[in-house]
Amino acid sequence: MEQLPAHRPLTVVQLPDGSHVYADPASLPAQQSSGPQVVHIHQAPPDRTVQRVALGSGVGAGAVAAGVYFGPLLVGALTAMAANLAMLAILALVLGWAVVTVVRAVNDGGKSGRKGC
C-alpha cells in the first residue's frame, strides 16, 4: 500500500462544450484563454445588424428592443401604405379611362353610328 500514489479527490470540471464531468483537473489539457470575441457587422444577418451595432456601441437593451419591435412594425406600415397607393393608382386609372370614354362619346355626338349616311 505504500507504493500507491496519494489519492486525489475528483472535482466537477466544465468542459469547453458546456458539459460537466468528474475529473482530475491536473489530467485535463490546459485550456486556452480566449480573448474578446470580435463580431464583424458584415457577417451578421441583415435583420440583426442594427441590434449588433446598438450593442457594440454600448447603447443598451432599449435600442435593441426598439429595433426588434419597430423594425417589423415599420415594414408592415410601409407595406400597407404601398398597397393603399396601388389601389388608389388603379382607381385613378379606371376613372380616367371612364372620363375619356364619356368625353369622346359626347364630343362625337353619336356620329360614329351614322357615318354611312
Side-chain angles (χ1 to χ4, degrees):
M1 289 286 251
E2 297 170 6
Q3 300 162 351
L4 295 175
H7 177 67
R8 290 184 180 168
L10 296 178
T11 57
V12 177
V13 178
Q14 184 175 7
L15 297 177
D17 65 351
S19 60
H20 293 80
V21 295
Y22 287 103
D24 182 13
S27 67
L28 292 176
Q31 293 183 2
Q32 298 176 356
S33 63
S34 62
Q37 182 182 5
V38 177
V39 178
H40 297 284
I41 293 173
H42 64 275
Q43 293 175 347
D47 57 336
R48 301 280 187 239
T49 302
V50 174
Q51 288 87 344
R52 288 185 188 230
V53 169
L55 285 176
S57 63
V59 173
V64 175
V68 169
Y69 180 75
F70 289 114
L73 191 67
L74 179 63
V75 170
L78 291 175
T79 304
M81 288 171 25
N84 287 339
L85 288 175
M87 288 301 296
L88 287 175
I90 290 172
L91 183 64
L93 183 68
V94 169
L95 288 177
W97 173 78
V99 167
V100 167
T101 303
V102 169
V103 168
R104 282 184 183 167
V106 169
N107 284 340
D108 198 13
K111 295 178 187 174
S112 63
R114 293 186 291 167
K115 283 191 178 190
C117 295

